[in-house]
Amino acid sequence: MAMSCRFVASSCARQLRSATSSRSSAQMLRVSFTTRRCNSTEAAAPSPKIADIVEQISKLTLLETADLVSSLKSKLNIPDMPIGGFAAAPAAAAAPAAAAEEAEEAPAAPAEKTLFTLKLQSIDAAAKAKVIKEVKGMLGLSLVDSKKFVESAPKMMKENVPKEDAEKIVATMKELGAVVVME
């Protein structure tokens, strides 16, 4: 973000400098073309105060620009956005709401659990290769990651697995020589 702000500030400063100096018509045509291409809306010439601020910002280093951004965020009470940006924010906001709905429904029907967490408890040393292959296919890990995963048992394999699928996975892993627990 700081790089793009700095780029915009420097290009604005260049445009201001080019607008104040006299240029040939071909150069002015090129400047107006780049202005139209970079700016989504036509704007009036900025005030001298804004031009001075833009000029000062364009001279900042990357670290100084980062400090400026953090200072502005704290001064203007702007919250930090997650790495995903605006697209991830609605999903993140929906997760607590869904959890709250599940929490409300949970006391109403504690009779039967439908979603389970599968945990790899232990493996038979003789069947280690078979278990690694099955974990690789099931979790989509690389062979090295699957080996590390199996060797670090007990470890959580999957979350929110429907009962039928969980029972199939437990049975398959038991046949291969691994102990998987549904929680």
Side-chain angles (χ1 to χ4, degrees):
M1 182 174 142
M3 290 296 288
S4 63
C5 291
R6 187 172 180 168
F7 174 74
V8 170
S10 64
S11 65
C12 288
R14 270 188 256 121
Q15 289 175 1
L16 285 174
R17 276 187 247 125
S18 67
T20 57
S21 65
S22 61
R23 295 189 178 245
S24 67
S25 62
Q27 288 175 334
M28 289 301 284
L29 182 62
R30 182 172 44 92
V31 169
S32 67
F33 174 74
T34 57
T35 303
R36 227 176 283 126
R37 184 180 65 190
C38 293
N39 297 337
S40 61
T41 60
E42 294 295 326
S47 68
K49 182 177 178 181
I50 300 297
D52 290 338
I53 293 171
V54 168
E55 185 65 33
Q56 290 173 355
I57 290 173
S58 66
K59 292 178 183 176
L60 294 177
T61 65
L62 186 59
L63 291 174
E64 293 170 334
T65 305
D67 289 340
L68 174 66
V69 169
S70 63
S71 298
L72 285 173
K73 282 182 179 179
S74 64
K75 179 82 172 177
L76 300 174
N77 295 325
I78 299 171
D80 288 334
M81 294 301 295
I83 299 292
F86 291 107
E101 290 176 7
E102 287 180 16
E104 291 174 4
E105 294 174 7
E112 187 175 335
K113 190 174 179 182
T114 58
L115 297 178
F116 293 90
T117 300
L118 297 178
K119 186 175 184 180
L120 177 66
Q121 289 288 69
S122 63
I123 60 164
D124 183 21
K128 184 176 177 181
K130 293 177 185 176
V131 173
I132 290 172
K133 285 182 183 178
E134 184 66 26
V135 167
K136 179 181 182 282
M138 186 183 313
L139 301 179
L141 299 173
S142 69
L143 189 60
V144 173
D145 290 337
S146 299
K147 183 177 183 278
K148 289 178 183 176
F149 181 87
V150 169
E151 289 174 346
S152 65
K155 195 163 186 175
M156 191 272 304
M157 287 178 62
K158 285 190 167 189
E159 292 181 325
N160 299 328
V161 180
K163 186 175 183 177
E164 298 87 28
D165 294 341
E167 289 172 347
K168 289 178 186 176
I169 292 171
V170 168
T172 304
M173 296 300 280
K174 187 174 184 179
E175 290 173 9
L176 294 175
V179 177
V180 176
V181 178
M182 294 187 337
E183 296 177 345

